[in-house]
Amino acid sequence: MKSMFNDAEKLIGVDPPNGSLVKAEIYHLCGDIGQFDKWLDNARRLGAGPQADRSAMYVRSNLGYFSASVPAFEQLAVVESGFLSDVFAFGLVICSYRRMGDAAASAAKAKMELGMDSGYAIDTARKGVDVLNKLGINEGQVQSVLDVAGEVLRRHNLFWMERGPVVRFSDTADGPGLLYQMYVGVPPAEALQLTDEVLELLFERDLYLPGLAFTFISHPSTDAGH
C-alpha cells in the first residue's frame, strides 16, 4: 500500500486532479471514507469534473453509503454529462428509479443508446416507481434501509457482491411488495445473522417499512462449509 501512495504522490506532482483521484481511490481500498472524500474534494477543486462524480458514486455505494451516492448519480444521469450510458443502470443499485425514468426519456428524445441492459433497467425502474407509489414509500426511505445494510457490512468488514442488490417486485391480491437481496461472501447461516442485525436496527430507528423486505444472501461462490 505504501508504494501505491508514493506513486499517487508522484502523479499529483505532474497531474494534480488525476493524482488526487488516484489517492482517493487508494483510501477507498482502505475503507476510509473520510480520507476518500477529502481527496475527492481536492480533485474537484483542481478541475477533475465528472470523473470525480463517477468515483464518488461507485465508491460510496461500494462502502455501503448508498444515499450518499445519489447526488453524484443525479449529476451524471443526464444526456449532457457524457456519462449517461455508463451509469444509467447504476440507478437500480441505489433505488433512483424516477431519475432513471427521466434520463431514459431524455435519451430517447436525443436518440442516445443506453447500453445492452438498458431495456431491463428501464422496465425495472418503471416497476419500482409503480410499486413504491402503491406502497406509499419514497426512494429516500428505501435508501435509508440500504444505508443500514451498509452499516452492518462495515461492522463486519464485508462488502456486498455482484453488480448490485437483486430487486424483486410483487403486486398480487395480497398487495404490492418490494424485496431487496444483497449478496455477501459468507455462509448462509452468517448471512441470516447479518440480516437479523439489519432488521433490529430498522426497528430501533423506526425505519421498518411494511411491504419492503431486505435480506442478505450467501453468494454462490461462498464455501458454505468454511
Side-chain angles (χ1 to χ4, degrees):
M1 192 68 71
K2 183 177 180 180
S3 64
M4 295 174 67
F5 278 115
N6 289 338
D7 289 343
E9 289 293 341
K10 292 176 183 176
L11 183 57
I12 288 172
V14 296
D15 188 347
N18 283 322
S20 296
L21 282 177
V22 169
K23 194 162 185 178
E25 290 288 350
I26 298 172
Y27 279 113
H28 163 220
L29 296 176
C30 298
D32 189 333
I33 190 67
Q35 286 295 319
F36 169 80
D37 283 339
K38 171 185 173 181
W39 285 98
L40 188 74
D41 288 344
N42 194 58
R44 281 200 177 102
R45 181 177 60 81
L46 294 170
Q51 287 288 358
D53 288 321
R54 193 170 186 272
S55 182
M57 185 186 78
Y58 287 121
V59 169
R60 288 174 181 157
S61 65
N62 193 39
L63 294 177
Y65 299 96
F66 293 92
S67 61
S69 298
V70 174
F73 174 74
E74 292 182 344
Q75 288 290 324
L76 296 173
V78 293
V79 171
E80 296 78 11
S81 75
F83 287 86
L84 177 56
S85 297
D86 293 335
V87 307
F88 178 73
F90 181 82
L92 299 179
V93 175
I94 55 173
C95 187
S96 192
Y97 302 140
R98 285 180 172 79
R99 175 50 66 95
M100 290 177 70
D102 293 342
S106 296
K109 187 175 181 180
K111 295 182 170 53
M112 174 187 289
E113 295 291 332
L114 289 176
M116 293 177 57
D117 297 330
S118 62
Y120 167 78
I122 291 169
D123 184 57
T124 301
R126 286 173 179 163
K127 289 179 181 176
V129 170
D130 183 56
V131 168
L132 289 181
N133 283 340
K134 290 177 179 178
L135 288 170
I137 293 173
N138 62 54
E139 293 175 354
Q141 290 173 292
V142 179
Q143 290 154 5
S144 293
V145 171
L146 296 176
D147 283 344
V148 171
E151 179 182 338
V152 170
L153 289 178
R154 291 192 301 276
R155 283 183 183 179
H156 295 271
N157 296 314
L158 293 169
F159 292 92
W160 54 273
M161 302 173 70
E162 296 294 340
R163 297 173 64 183
V166 178
V167 187
R168 304 183 191 278
F169 305 103
S170 62
D171 193 2
T172 66
D174 296 325
L178 172 59
L179 170 63
Y180 266 80
Q181 295 178 300
M182 194 174 290
Y183 281 113
V184 286
V186 298
E190 290 184 36
L192 181 59
Q193 291 174 355
L194 293 171
T195 300
D196 287 342
E197 288 187 38
V198 172
L199 294 177
E200 288 176 9
L201 289 173
L202 293 178
F203 279 110
E204 285 177 10
R205 299 173 184 179
D206 198 25
L207 293 173
Y208 175 76
L209 301 167
L212 172 63
F214 176 89
T215 63
F216 287 115
I217 50 177
S218 177
H219 191 271
S221 67
T222 302
D223 179 7
H226 179 66

